Amino acid sequence: MDELLTLDAVGQAEAVRNGQVSPREPAEAAIARIEAVDGELNAVVHRRFERALEEIDAIPADAPFRGVPILLKDIGWASGGDPYGAGSKVLDGVVARDDSYSVAKLRRAGFVILGRTSTPELATTITTEPAAFGPTRNPYDPAYSTGGSSGGSAAAVAAGMVPVATASDGGGSIRIPASMCGLVGLKPARGRSSHGPDLAESWGGLSVQGMLTRSVRDSAALLDLIAGMMPGDRYDAPALARPLAEEVGADPGRLRVGFVTVHPRGDVPEDPELTAAVTATAALLEALGHEVVQDHPEALGEHDFGMNFGALIGTNVAAELDVLGAWRGRPVDVEELEPRNRLMVTAARGISATDYLAALRWLDGYRRRMAAWWISGFDLLVTPTMGVTPFPIGWISDDDLHTALDRSGQGAAFTSPFNATGQPALSLPLHRTAEGLPVGVQFVAAAGREDLLVRIAAQIEAVRPFEHSAIQDRR
């Protein structure tokens, strides 16, 4: 069972397909693991073990991921008949009526859904410490945060509960937990997968759905699985030449790579650990034959970004309250929210429709200014995934909202710009602090170029295999 838990999703699927294990054994091993370690980590907020085991017999024998266990982030990934909490007390008792399109695709592929993972209330911060469920703890050190907002999923995958878990990313919420928990976190291009049928977009197009994994091949295969425009979707990402799974091991060619170690905006303090992580990665890329220079998009340093980005998030979260009220059958009062969201929604309700459209227009221009750097001849940008090193539980706290918002902004300083541009971006676990805590390095490609990210990630993984010591440490 221990050996089975160390396999990635592709590996577990192969073990089932080859008859090395039965279709039930991966789920049974995952359930035992959750029961053994989640009491300390608090990653899984809803368990559906009995239903999951009952569903295995109905999975077709030719399903590509037959019997592989998975957990769903408890926001955006609706699973019919299961609770939907979004990290908030306001949805206590709400049950999803139907599967989202992406969840339906996972089921058809043979995944066994074991439950739902914790997220901060309404997914609006970079740590997973909701008042409704309590803090989720990092498998590398339970005193530390997992990041957010996909922190429950990250903890579950890093601790070996499941090989993969679903996530979403509106300002860094796939890449930040990947960095904090030593995982592969690929944020797809805008429009690569669907938010339907309930939504045509999320957070004004800032948020996308993806996965947290331990291997590049899992990230590629799972994105292939959920990708595709569905009826009524607002966006469609540029078509890929072939499945991403076929890009694993493909020669990326000699790439022109720019890198930056300190945020050019000037309001994110330099950190020696982050500098070391990016510098070592730049040296590795150079050793692999790529052209590497210290350069970055000039637009990355623009100070008006935060104000316009925040206007989109705040207004969209405020509008979501009407939807949540309809789901539970009575309006949501702003006073029911945690202080952070109370402040955000109250401020957002003062933004006019014309102000909202002005923010959209500003971000349209920002997207073009950022794209100019890639058009000028660069293939990839390399940055720290986060603007801060791993932080402990409570470091971002509603007890001091000003400090909490400032720290959240610093943490997402390198990730959020690429939610605004819609570009694909990837965090890889390439560094550890002196205390042994993971630190991710971010790779950003031009619009629609997940294929290039998969190629370079697989090339790096081949020469620098990723360490996942939290699985062994928590046996």
Side-chain angles (χ1 to χ4, degrees), residues 135-210:
T136 298
R137 299 183 178 276
N138 195 310
Y140 285 90
D141 185 338
Y144 278 76
S145 171
T146 57
S149 63
S150 307
S153 288
V157 175
M161 299 182 205
V162 287
V164 293
T166 71
S168 56
D169 193 316
S173 291
I174 291 173
R175 292 158 290 162
I176 288 170
S179 178
M180 297 279 277
C181 295
L183 301 174
V184 179
L186 172 59
K187 180 193 84 71
R190 180 176 297 154
R192 185 66 68 197
S193 65
S194 176
H195 289 279
D198 290 329
L199 298 173
E201 65 174 12
S202 180
W203 283 10
L206 298 177
S207 184
V208 296
Q209 293 185 328

Side-chain angles (χ1 to χ4, degrees), residues 175-176 178-180 182-186 257-261 273-285 381-386 414-415 425-432 438-444 453 456-457 460 464 466:
R175 292 158 290 162
I176 288 170
S179 178
M180 297 279 277
L183 301 174
V184 179
L186 172 59
V257 182
F259 74 94
V260 59
T261 59
E273 293 279 12
L274 305 182
T275 297
V278 173
T279 302
T281 301
L284 174 60
L285 291 169
L381 174 67
V382 175
T383 78
T385 299
M386 300 180 65
F414 287 103
T415 54
L426 169 75
S427 180
L428 294 179
L430 295 177
H431 185 73
R432 294 287 180 92
V439 171
V441 175
Q442 178 177 237
F443 298 73
V444 187
L453 290 177
I456 193 66
I460 291 170
R464 281 274 311 275
F466 308 139

Side-chain angles (χ1 to χ4, degrees), residues 243-269:
L244 288 173
E246 296 181 18
E247 303 294 353
V248 178
D251 184 2
R254 188 170 190 262
L255 304 178
R256 189 166 188 237
V257 182
F259 74 94
V260 59
T261 59
V262 182
H263 203 288
R265 206 170 55 217
D267 57 355
V268 180

Side-chain angles (χ1 to χ4, degrees), residues 25-292:
E25 286 180 86
E28 289 171 342
I31 289 168
R33 178 70 166 178
I34 293 169
E35 291 178 332
V37 304
D38 195 47
E40 181 180 20
L41 300 180
N42 192 33
V44 185
V45 295
H46 171 65
R47 301 179 181 190
R48 59 186 310 276
F49 297 163
E50 290 186 10
R51 284 186 64 193
L53 293 173
E54 290 170 358
E55 291 164 356
I56 292 173
D57 290 341
I59 299 173
D62 61 351
F65 287 92
R66 182 188 183 199
V68 177
I70 194 169
L71 290 163
L72 307 178
K73 182 179 180 179
D74 194 25
I75 191 169
W77 294 83
S79 49
D82 295 329
Y84 187 98
S88 181
K89 295 177 180 179
V90 303
L91 291 180
D92 185 34
V94 170
V95 173
R97 289 176 300 176
D98 301 297
D99 288 346
S100 71
Y101 287 148
S102 292
V103 169
K105 290 178 178 181
L106 293 174
R107 288 193 199 273
R108 286 197 295 271
F111 278 99
V112 180
I113 299 169
L114 297 184
R116 302 183 65 80
T117 62
S118 191
T119 184
E121 185 181 62
L122 307 184
T124 57
T125 188
I126 66 166
T127 188
T128 302
E129 305 176 45
F133 299 105
T136 298
R137 299 183 178 276
N138 195 310
Y140 285 90
D141 185 338
Y144 278 76
S145 171
T146 57
S149 63
S150 307
S153 288
V157 175
M161 299 182 205
V162 287
V164 293
T166 71
S168 56
D169 193 316
S173 291
I174 291 173
R175 292 158 290 162
I176 288 170
S179 178
M180 297 279 277
C181 295
L183 301 174
V184 179
L186 172 59
K187 180 193 84 71
R190 180 176 297 154
R192 185 66 68 197
S193 65
S194 176
H195 289 279
D198 290 329
L199 298 173
E201 65 174 12
S202 180
W203 283 10
L206 298 177
S207 184
V208 296
Q209 293 185 328
M211 302 284 169
L212 284 158
T213 77
R214 297 194 295 264
S215 69
V216 175
R217 68 177 185 174
D218 270 7
S219 289
L222 269 291
L223 185 51
D224 282 338
L225 185 62
I226 65 170
M229 189 177 188
M230 299 297 285
D233 284 352
R234 189 165 294 171
Y235 311 105
D236 189 14
L240 295 165
R242 57 183 177 174
L244 288 173
E246 296 181 18
E247 303 294 353
V248 178
D251 184 2
R254 188 170 190 262
L255 304 178
R256 189 166 188 237
V257 182
F259 74 94
V260 59
T261 59
V262 182
H263 203 288
R265 206 170 55 217
D267 57 355
V268 180
E270 181 176 4
D271 188 293
E273 293 279 12
L274 305 182
T275 297
V278 173
T279 302
T281 301
L284 174 60
L285 291 169
E286 199 164 42
L288 290 169
H290 302 292
E291 179 189 356
V292 182

